[in-house]
Amino acid sequence: MWKKIKQIIFIILILNVLFIIWGRFFNPPITITQIGGLFEYGKLQRDYISYDEMGDKVKKAVIASEDQKFFMHDGFDYSAIEKAMAHNEKGKKIRGGSTISQQTAKNIFLWQGRSWFRKGLEAVYTFIIEKAWGKDVILARYLNSIEMGQGVFGIEAASKYYFGKSSKDLTISEAAWIAAVLPNPKKYDPKNPSPYLTKKHNWIMRQMRNVSLK
């Protein structure tokens, strides 16, 4: 029995290693979150593109919105984590402190949820992809796989869905609108923005001036 368990663990480890190597060069065939969107909304709208095809505006907009220290940290923003923990201890609405690297690990390898087990796995994958993939690959995988609407995944599909154009052709304002729906794309809609979303959009546009892609 123990021998079989060890064999299963070994196979799982080998498959994970192969998937990580695959992810260094290719986008994932599909993710658990994408499968969930397909079942929930009956569609899977996505369009994988290369890092260079994405254009700088949407990269800067998403970094400004989600993780302004992306190119400076090692996968974890410890100050953001501490602030999130302090905020959550007050019993207010739960706030996350995840970096783009952590979100990429979750989106590519894992599932949505807040269990400590999943967070532990997320930390392991985050550490590995920071070492094995590098920042540009992590950002590319994130921007191709992130949920951007109801059954819409990735910034290219989102650009075409919301504005009818490729992501490289977005204006600064349009890029900021796409980034503004994160991290709750099922709730917010750039086509019909709430006062909160409009305020966030304006904030992202200001923050984009401080974002460097290196």
Side-chain angles (χ1 to χ4, degrees):
M1 181 65 178
W2 176 239
K3 184 178 180 180
K4 289 183 178 180
I5 293 175
K6 288 194 292 185
Q7 289 175 340
I8 292 172
I9 294 174
F10 178 75
I11 292 172
I12 291 173
L13 288 174
I14 292 297
L15 290 175
N16 270 273
V17 170
L18 293 175
F19 194 26
I20 290 167
I21 295 173
W22 165 279
R24 174 67 179 80
F25 301 99
F26 305 101
N27 288 289
I30 197 165
T31 68
I32 294 175
T33 305
Q34 289 173 356
I35 293 172
L38 179 60
F39 276 98
E40 185 173 358
Y41 301 108
K43 67 175 183 177
L44 175 56
Q45 189 171 338
R46 70 177 188 184
D47 190 359
Y48 288 155
I49 57 176
S50 71
Y51 184 79
D52 292 334
E53 291 175 308
M54 293 174 176
D56 290 346
K57 295 186 185 72
V58 75
K59 295 174 189 173
K60 289 183 176 182
V62 172
I63 290 173
S65 175
E66 294 295 288
D67 183 5
Q68 294 188 24
K69 297 180 181 178
F70 174 68
F71 284 102
M72 296 178 280
H73 61 59
D74 61 355
F76 306 93
D77 185 345
Y78 300 103
S79 62
I81 293 172
E82 290 176 0
K83 290 179 181 178
M85 292 177 65
H87 175 87
N88 298 339
E89 285 176 357
K90 296 178 181 178
K92 298 180 180 180
K93 184 178 179 180
I94 294 178
R95 175 189 296 172
S98 296
T99 63
I100 284 176
S101 301
Q102 289 175 274
Q103 293 180 56
T104 303
K106 176 184 67 177
N107 293 336
I108 301 298
F109 299 102
L110 302 169
W111 60 92
Q112 305 298 318
R114 293 187 178 277
S115 70
W116 287 109
F117 176 68
R118 191 199 61 74
K119 291 296 290 185
L121 291 176
E122 177 187 296
V124 172
Y125 280 115
T126 298
F127 176 81
I128 292 173
I129 64 175
E130 276 281 336
K131 303 299 182 183
W133 290 4
K135 294 293 186 179
D136 287 357
V137 174
I138 290 173
L139 185 58
R141 298 293 173 266
Y142 176 79
L143 292 174
N144 270 327
S145 64
I146 187 70
E147 188 171 18
M148 299 298 302
Q150 297 182 356
V152 180
F153 293 85
I155 49 94
E156 182 71 2
S159 299
K160 292 177 179 177
Y161 179 73
Y162 293 118
F163 298 109
K165 61 176 70 173
S166 295
S167 59
K168 63 181 176 60
D169 298 322
L170 292 173
T171 65
I172 292 175
S173 178
E174 289 167 344
W177 277 121
I178 286 180
V181 304
L182 301 172
N184 198 342
K186 294 180 180 180
K187 178 180 179 181
Y188 299 119
D189 184 356
K191 295 179 180 178
N192 186 28
S194 63
Y196 166 79
L197 199 66
T198 300
K199 182 178 180 181
K200 185 177 180 182
H201 166 266
N202 294 333
W203 178 83
I204 290 172
M205 287 190 36
R206 293 193 300 271
Q207 295 300 310
M208 286 173 68
R209 302 170 190 164
N210 304 319
V211 173
S212 175
L213 297 176
K214 57 177 80 172

